[in-house]
């Protein structure tokens, strides 16, 4: 089956077409641009570009897989609404995968996968031979709890290499779309029901309640 | 006589609107409203006394696909029946706009239906076609809401809309919200002020009419200012309390509302007369205000002008207005927008739709 995979949880705007047959995965088209403010402009053309590169049309896509964060909210939502609307428009199912798993899922040993959460914080999770331990979290790099991770990887790791208690890869690594499809493969192959995608926000919205006005008489 | 934008062959267009706190999806066939699905996050903002952008954006994402499905169900159509998809590209809240624009692009590429990125303000004008049929051109549009207060000259709704004047500070709807808060009325303030004002005395106090003095009428002939009015109301209430007296909410609401409606209608009618235009349209959330409608009707009649406005539900933000503009653009043969257009929170009010070129 042919899967459209999207992730906009980092400053990389990414789209790919991935063929999934039994447990074989094959990347047939891929577009990526590191452009933290370009999600809404770049993503839709990337989907069209991927289809054109692969010599396919929209009718050839069987399912959509989307990273659901955590990630900076505005860009993340663009990818997720694109995935949900494309799937709805094409009448195909959509499945969500934690975006950090697209980084940590490819690691060996104990690794910290970290993306840039802005405001001097990182979104992170610990992976043991590619398997995530616990839920993703957000905090300052200097405030990480003991993770026993041997190294850190991801855009958040390279950006805050100097503040992390473990070695960090200096090249930013972004969620791997083939990995996201692999993680969704059981659902894809089983024809699981389409999902309502919910972002992993990990933060409450910024909203200061307005001061209560003095009550006036009626 | 049938024209291109009416009748059974008129373009069927779905409109998506997410510029503020309403997730709106409307479907029209020419001037016929087929569906008007709206999911509002207004209750989530009420306790903050104003729209919280992040709260609105989260609600848009949650509501987007279900609202599209509801609109299609209501219209008894499928996406394959559409001749176009129109979406508000701006102006509005950036993060909120991006949810609608992202969705509209994805629906367009998943279905092959042409996409139109349109201006929210022009859509507020276009929605009147669903109530009153084709708009005679030229027309003057008085657009008033929580986000905008403008006098627009509509020479061609498919492409030539110019702004004659606008608020130089607060939007009219913002003033309603702020004064409502001063009076202890809930958010959004418009409907509550309108209700309270019905029991009040409009002439109770004479609040200031911004930018109406002779020298202001030279520089800001068709512009508005509401921040001084809001301050005047606040001072009046403060002084009243300092004297240990109760604040007569209904009277203050009525006097404040009169000041806003007086300036809005006076300047809109003046613009029509001075430009030789015979039709004035009201649009935007504040156009649902009963006093604005009554005063505009009275003054238009006295000036020999035709006044048009849609029902209140079509005045507030919704997808039907975007669909109405989209259908007008399709019928007029305007080219669809490029797929890479941005969501533009400060979109030029005179750009009706985004072009199909660099
Ligand atoms: Zn509006």
């Amino acid at each position: 089956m042919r899967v459209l995979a999207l992730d906009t949880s980092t400053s990389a705007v990414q789209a790919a077409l991935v063929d999934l047959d039994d447990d074989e995965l094959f990347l047939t088209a891929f577009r990526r641009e590191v452009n933290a403010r370009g999600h809404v402009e770049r993503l839709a053309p990337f989907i069209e570009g991927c289809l054109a590169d692969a010599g396919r049309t929209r009718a050839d896509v069987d399912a959509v897989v989307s990273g659901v964060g955590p990630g900076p909210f505005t860009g993340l939502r663009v990818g997720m609404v694109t995935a949900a609307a494309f799937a709805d428009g094409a009448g195909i199912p959509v499945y969500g995968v934690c975006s950090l798993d697209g980084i940590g899922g490819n690691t060996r040993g104990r690794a910290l996968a970290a993306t840039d959460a802005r405001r001097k914080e990182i979104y992170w999770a610990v992976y043991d031979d590619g398997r995530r331990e616990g839920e993703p979290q957000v905090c300052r790099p200097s405030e990480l709890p003991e993770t026993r991770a041997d190294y850190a990887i991801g855009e958040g790791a390279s950006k805050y290499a100097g503040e992390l208690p473990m070695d960090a890869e200096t090249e930013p690594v972004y969620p791997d779309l083939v990995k996201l499809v692999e993680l969704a493969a059981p659902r894809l192959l089983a024809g699981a029901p389409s999902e309502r995608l919910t972002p992993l926000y990990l933060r409450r919205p910024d909203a200061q309640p307005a001061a209560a006005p003095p009550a006036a008489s009626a | 006589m049938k024209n291109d934008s009416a009748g059974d062959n008129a373009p069927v267009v779905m409109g998506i609107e997410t510029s503020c706190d309403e997730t709106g999806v409307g479907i029209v066939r020419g001037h016929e409203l087929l569906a008007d699905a709206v999911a509002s996050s207004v209750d989530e903002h009420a306790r903050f006394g104003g729209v919280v952008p992040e709260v609105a954006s989260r609600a848009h994402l949650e509501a987007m696909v279900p609202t599209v499905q509801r609109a299609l169900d209501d219209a008894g159509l499928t996406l394959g029946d559409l001749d176009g998809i129109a979406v508000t590209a701006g102006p509005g809240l950036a993060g909120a706009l991006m949810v609608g624009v992202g969705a509209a692009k994805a629906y367009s590429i998943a279905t092959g239906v042409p996409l139109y990125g349109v201006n929210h303000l022009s859509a507020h004008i276009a929605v009147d076609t669903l109530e009153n049929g084709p708009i005679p051109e030229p027309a003057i549009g008085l657009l008033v809401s929580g986000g905008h207060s403008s006098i627009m000259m509509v020479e061609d709704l498919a492409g030539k809309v110019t702004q004659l004047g606008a608020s130089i500070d607060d939007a009219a709807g913002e003033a309603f919200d702020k004064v409502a808060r001063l009076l202890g009325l809930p958010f959004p303030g418009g409907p509550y002020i309108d209700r309270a004002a019905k029991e009040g005395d409009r002439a109770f106090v004479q609040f200031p009419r911004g930018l109406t003095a002779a020298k202001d009428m030279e520089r800001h002939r068709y512009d508005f200012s509401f921040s001084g009015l809001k301050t005047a109301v606040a001072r009046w209430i403060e002084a009243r309390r300092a004297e240990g007296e109760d604040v007569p909410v209904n009277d203050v609401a009525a006097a404040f509302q009169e000041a806003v409606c007086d300036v809005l209608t006076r300047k809109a009618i003046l613009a029509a007369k001075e430009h030789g235009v015979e039709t004035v349209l009201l649009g935007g959330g504040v156009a649902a205000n009963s006093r604005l409608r009554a005063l505009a009707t009275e003054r238009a009649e006295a000036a020999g002008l035709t006044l048009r406005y849609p029902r209140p539900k079509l005045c507030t933000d919704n997808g039907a207005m975007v669909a109405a503009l989209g259908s007008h653009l399709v019928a007029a043969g305007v080219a669809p927008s490029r797929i890479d257009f941005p969501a533009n929170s400060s979109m030029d009010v005179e750009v009706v739709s985004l072009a199909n070129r660099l």
Side-chain angles (χ1 to χ4, degrees):
Chain A
M1 68 193 307
R2 269 172 279 278
V3 182
L4 171 67
L6 307 174
D7 189 88
T8 58
S9 68
T10 68
S11 56
V13 185
Q14 305 192 91
L17 281 176
V18 179
D19 280 5
L20 168 67
D21 296 301
D22 299 326
D23 51 1
E24 294 279 298
L25 291 151
F26 187 67
L27 180 68
T28 55
F30 177 53
R31 294 288 175 98
R32 176 166 80 194
E33 184 177 302
V34 177
N35 180 350
R37 294 174 163 272
H39 298 90
V40 85
E41 283 113 289
R42 306 311 306 147
L43 188 60
F46 281 2
I47 296 170
E48 289 192 324
C50 283
L51 289 168
D53 290 353
R56 303 290 179 189
T57 72
R58 58 185 185 269
D60 297 321
V61 181
D62 300 306
V64 182
V65 167
S66 174
V68 296
F73 308 152
T74 301
L76 175 63
R77 275 191 288 263
V78 170
M80 292 179 65
V81 84
T82 301
F86 185 95
D88 187 42
I92 56 178
V94 60
Y95 306 102
V97 179
C98 167
S99 298
L100 280 171
D101 292 356
I103 299 170
N106 284 334
T107 59
R108 289 295 164 260
R110 281 190 74 79
L112 179 92
T115 55
D116 183 4
R118 312 231 176 109
R119 303 182 197 176
K120 299 179 180 163
E121 292 187 322
I122 52 172
Y123 293 117
W124 61 274
V126 176
Y127 292 80
D128 196 16
D129 276 341
R131 294 175 64 109
R132 174 156 47 84
E133 293 183 348
E135 295 304 308
Q137 305 199 42
V138 61
C139 72
R140 291 195 173 219
S142 59
E143 289 163 1
L144 272 177
E146 176 54 60
T147 60
R148 294 181 294 113
D150 297 318
Y151 66 106
I153 182 172
E155 201 179 17
S158 53
K159 181 169 178 181
Y160 294 105
E163 295 172 48
L164 290 166
M166 70 288 282
D167 289 341
E169 298 214 351
T170 50
E171 282 298 306
V173 171
Y174 303 102
D176 173 8
L177 296 180
V178 177
K179 191 71 192 181
L180 296 185
V181 175
E182 183 190 323
L183 292 167
R187 285 173 279 169
L188 288 159
L189 294 170
S194 186
E195 295 169 4
R196 200 153 163 181
L197 303 179
T198 306
L200 297 170
Y201 284 119
L202 311 193
R203 283 182 186 141
R204 298 179 62 77
D206 272 334
Q208 288 304 310
S217 66
Chain B
M1 278 281 286
K2 231 182 191 183
N3 74 30
D4 283 339
S5 53
D8 292 344
N9 298 321
V12 177
V13 173
M14 176 168 82
I16 296 178
E17 153 64 35
T18 63
S19 68
C20 193
D21 60 339
E22 324 274 0
T23 312
V25 180
I27 301 174
V28 306
R29 178 186 284 115
H31 303 145
E32 185 192 353
L33 180 61
L34 303 179
D36 180 19
V38 178
S40 177
S41 60
V42 65
D43 294 345
E44 297 173 52
H45 305 285
R47 67 197 169 102
F48 303 113
V51 173
V52 180
E54 176 61 19
V55 171
S57 297
R58 290 186 181 196
H60 286 311
L61 176 61
E62 247 176 75
M64 193 70 256
V65 168
T67 309
V68 167
Q69 289 171 341
R70 188 150 54 88
L72 288 166
D73 283 353
D74 291 351
L77 297 176
T78 68
L79 291 163
D81 297 319
L82 302 176
D83 299 307
I85 296 173
V87 62
T88 300
L93 302 170
L97 287 168
M98 280 188 216
V99 176
V101 171
K105 288 181 176 186
Y107 276 113
S108 173
I109 56 179
T111 56
V113 175
L115 177 65
Y116 297 80
V118 307
N119 192 305
H120 181 83
L121 276 76
S122 298
H124 268 307
I125 294 169
V127 75
D128 189 64
T129 61
L130 302 178
E131 190 86 52
N132 301 308
I135 293 170
E137 290 162 346
I140 291 289
L142 174 62
L143 296 187
V144 267
S145 75
H148 27 84
S149 314
S150 318
I151 295 179
M152 311 293 292
M153 166 71 109
V154 185
E155 285 170 82
D156 174 5
L157 185 55
K160 187 148 195 237
V161 175
T162 43
Q163 181 167 275
L164 300 180
S167 176
I168 60 169
D169 42 55
D170 295 354
E174 236 178 310
F176 272 90
D177 289 338
K178 287 174 178 171
V179 168
R181 189 194 291 187
L182 291 171
L183 292 173
L185 297 172
F187 170 87
Y192 294 97
I193 297 241
D194 197 353
R195 214 168 302 156
K198 287 197 172 110
E199 311 296 321
D201 175 7
R202 302 197 278 268
F204 180 74
V205 216
Q206 176 82 4
F207 285 124
R209 270 66 168 160
L211 301 184
T212 54
K215 73 171 190 335
D216 289 328
M217 287 303 284
E218 280 168 34
R219 264 199 70 205
H220 290 290
R221 195 160 192 82
Y222 305 125
D223 291 330
F224 306 110
S225 165
F226 297 108
S227 96
L229 169 60
K230 169 202 71 195
T231 308
V233 175
R235 289 220 181 100
W236 191 92
I237 293 173
E238 230 168 76
R240 185 85 170 193
R241 288 214 176 95
E243 286 162 22
E245 293 208 47
D246 279 352
V247 175
V249 170
N250 295 342
D251 293 330
V252 175
F256 157 76
Q257 179 174 278
E258 192 65 12
V260 175
C261 297
D262 178 21
V263 182
L264 289 173
T265 55
R266 203 194 299 180
K267 291 205 174 196
I269 300 283
L270 182 68
K273 283 206 285 199
E274 292 184 344
H275 289 79
V277 174
E278 287 167 8
T279 308
V280 176
L281 305 163
L282 302 184
V286 179
N289 181 278
S290 65
R291 181 58 187 157
L292 183 69
R293 288 168 175 241
L295 195 55
T297 305
E298 195 181 292
R299 289 179 172 176
E301 227 162 75
L305 304 173
T306 307
L307 181 76
R308 301 170 34 136
Y309 49 75
R311 75 199 84 145
K313 185 161 190 279
L314 293 178
C315 289
T316 49
D317 292 350
N318 59 71
M321 67 191 226
V322 179
L325 178 56
S327 185
H328 186 80
L329 295 173
V330 174
V334 173
S337 306
R338 281 167 51 112
I339 194 72
D340 62 351
F341 70 80
N344 185 350
S345 58
S346 53
M347 187 170 174
D348 187 332
V349 298
E350 301 189 353
V351 173
V352 175
S353 71
L354 297 171
N356 186 340
R357 58 184 151 78
L358 275 173

